[in-house]
């Protein structure tokens, strides 16, 4: 079980809900160390004071704020703990809003909230009230030495808290918007909608995987075992400029439908090879001989044809003689 990173209470009107906060996410990326390529030795960094030249242990390092005129304010852990803020130990609910009103761009990190001690009943009360109202709670909380906005919402049996960036922490993206004179036709938008429909479906995150991380793991294993790494052929052809968007989207729709059919198992099964069927038939009708399976089958086929020809000729001769007897 992970360790809680914060302990306090949700201030829900006159109701106080003791909680513990846990990180809800973790990075699964592959971490690397800086090493010397010649011998694989790790590169280490020392924390050295520029004034006295001594190496300072991490536990003894404080935080300092330097003013524009060069003055330094040194802050210890106790200074942060004693800040005159309610949010250092309390999550203050300041508003309830519809979840759709919170732009996902503002969401920063996600945390699990666990009821602590006698907080189980008010915890369930807030959770069920949020579900019934269809709203989320906007709160203020101080986490990791800074106050932040956050959103509390109900998910299954839990309360989740998503920290929210302050408005001035979002950059202005106006520079990235297309030029105002760029337009698209109704036919292009309709075909783009068809492509969206072809790839629409329920969001199932478990069906996706991190191909880049898997490739790195394969590379590391190959390096450790001294094996060569299989290279992937790159498409060196230059991509042509898209002139007819409708034609390009129509081809994209067809390709998406094919991929969906293959992934869903709707593609037709391949037929069994014909030679296997002929071999089975011959083995079932050919008598066993001491010859090998291929030579014996060939040896038996020729006499069989001759015998069949003789029997056919005999039948024809009998058929010709029989009418002659009846006529006499």
């Amino acid at each position: 079980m992970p360790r809680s990173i914060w302990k306090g209470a949700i201030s829900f009107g006159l109701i106080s809900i003791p909680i513990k906060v846990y990180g809800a996410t973790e990075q699964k990326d592959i971490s690397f160390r800086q090493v010397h390529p010649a011998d694989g030795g790790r590169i280490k960094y020392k924390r050295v004071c520029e004034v006295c030249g001594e190496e300072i242990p991490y536990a003894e390092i404080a935080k300092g704020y330097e003013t524009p005129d060069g003055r330094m304010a040194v802050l210890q852990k106790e200074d942060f703990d004693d800040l005159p803020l309610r949010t250092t130990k309390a999550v203050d609910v300041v508003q309830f809003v519809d979840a759709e009103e919170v732009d996902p761009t503002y969401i920063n990190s996600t945390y699990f909230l666990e009821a602590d001690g006698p907080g189980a009943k008010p915890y369930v009360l807030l959770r069920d009230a949020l579900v019934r109202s269809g709203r989320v709670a906007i709160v203020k909380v101080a986490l990791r030495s800074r106050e932040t906005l956050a959103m509390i919402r109900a998910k299954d049996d839990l309360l989740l808290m998503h920290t929210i960036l302050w408005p001035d922490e979002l950059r202005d993206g106006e520079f990235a918007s297309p030029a105002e004179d760029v337009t698209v036709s109704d036919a292009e938008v309709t075909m783009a909608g068809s492509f969206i429909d072809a790839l629409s479906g329920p969001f199932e995150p478990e069906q996706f995987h991190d191909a880049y991380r898997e490739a790195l793991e394969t590379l590391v294993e190959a390096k450790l075992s001294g094996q060569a790494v299989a290279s992937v052929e790159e498409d060196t052809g230059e991509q042509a400029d898209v002139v007819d968007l409708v034609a390009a989207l129509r081809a994209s729709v067809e390709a998406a439908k094919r991929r969906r059919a293959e992934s869903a198992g709707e593609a037709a099964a391949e037929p069994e090879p014909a030679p296997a069927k002929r071999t089975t038939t011959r083995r079932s009708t050919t008598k066993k001989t001491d010859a090998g399976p291929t030579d014996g089958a060939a040896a038996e086929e020729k006499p069989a044809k001759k015998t069949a020809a003789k029997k056919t000729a005999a039948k024809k001769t009998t058929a010709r003689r029989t009418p002659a007897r009846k006529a006499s």
Side-chain angles (χ1 to χ4, degrees):
M1 181 175 176
R3 295 178 57 184
S4 63
I5 64 169
W6 192 87
K7 184 176 180 179
I10 299 176
S11 178
F12 178 39
L14 297 179
I15 299 175
S16 180
I17 309 173
I19 58 166
K20 292 180 180 179
V21 179
Y22 299 85
T25 61
E26 58 180 345
Q27 295 293 327
K28 290 293 186 178
D29 197 8
I30 296 178
S31 60
F32 295 97
R33 300 188 184 277
Q34 291 183 324
V35 298
H36 184 201
D39 52 21
R42 289 176 54 186
I43 306 299
K44 294 186 176 181
Y45 293 90
K46 294 183 179 180
R47 300 177 179 89
V48 179
C49 175
E50 66 176 359
V51 176
C52 63
E54 294 183 3
E55 184 177 355
I56 309 301
Y58 180 77
E60 297 180 11
I61 296 178
K63 295 181 182 295
Y65 178 81
E66 185 176 3
T67 61
D69 58 6
R71 291 177 298 165
M72 184 70 68
V74 179
L75 303 178
Q76 303 290 344
K77 181 180 181 300
E78 297 78 13
D79 297 321
F80 293 99
D81 294 339
D82 296 336
L83 281 174
L85 285 175
R86 280 178 42 83
T87 53
T88 56
K89 289 298 178 183
V91 179
D92 280 338
V93 176
V94 295
Q95 192 178 13
F96 293 95
V97 301
D98 293 333
E100 294 77 11
E101 294 185 34
V102 181
D103 189 331
T105 312
Y106 282 93
I107 295 178
N108 188 16
S109 301
T110 302
Y111 300 92
F112 293 132
L113 303 184
E114 179 191 29
D116 188 22
K121 185 168 183 177
Y123 181 102
V124 173
L125 171 63
L126 176 58
R127 182 198 66 194
D128 292 353
L130 290 176
V131 172
R132 182 172 297 184
S133 66
R135 292 183 172 86
V136 297
I138 302 299
V139 303
K140 292 178 68 177
V141 60
L143 289 176
R144 304 188 185 278
S145 303
R146 68 188 299 262
E147 187 179 57
T148 181
L149 282 175
M151 174 182 73
I152 294 179
R153 69 182 180 93
K155 183 180 184 298
D156 300 328
D157 294 334
L158 293 175
L159 286 176
L160 267 62
M161 183 171 69
H162 306 277
T163 55
I164 297 175
L165 298 172
W166 294 103
D168 59 357
E169 292 179 315
L170 288 181
R171 294 173 178 170
D172 185 2
E174 186 64 28
F175 69 93
S177 61
E180 295 182 358
D181 58 348
V182 176
T183 58
V184 293
S185 65
D186 290 341
E188 291 168 339
V189 175
T190 301
M191 188 54 67
S194 299
F195 180 67
I196 293 174
D197 292 339
L199 289 182
S200 295
F203 177 55
E204 300 173 349
E206 60 275 3
Q207 69 176 323
F208 304 102
H209 64 280
D210 188 348
Y212 183 78
R213 176 159 57 97
E214 293 175 357
L216 279 180
E217 291 172 348
T218 303
L219 174 61
V220 170
E221 289 296 328
K223 289 283 187 179
L224 293 175
S225 60
Q227 298 177 356
V229 182
S231 59
V232 179
E233 295 184 1
E234 296 183 0
D235 185 8
T236 57
E238 296 183 358
Q239 187 174 2
D241 293 336
V242 178
V243 179
D244 190 346
L245 290 177
V246 174
L249 285 170
R250 185 178 292 110
S252 300
V253 170
E254 295 301 323
K257 289 180 179 179
R258 286 195 300 270
R259 288 197 301 270
R260 274 210 156 181
E262 292 172 0
S263 62
E266 296 175 2
E270 295 183 1
E272 296 183 2
K277 292 184 178 180
R278 290 199 296 268
T279 303
T280 304
T281 305
R282 287 178 183 173
R283 287 179 180 174
S284 62
T285 57
T286 304
K287 294 181 179 180
K288 293 182 179 179
T289 63
D290 294 336
T294 303
D295 296 339
E300 289 290 342
E301 283 179 1
K302 291 182 179 179
K305 289 179 180 178
K306 290 181 179 179
T307 304
K310 290 179 180 179
K311 290 181 179 180
T312 304
K315 289 180 179 180
K316 289 181 179 179
T317 305
T318 305
R320 290 171 183 171
R321 290 176 181 174
T322 302
R325 292 194 191 97
K326 290 181 178 180
S328 61

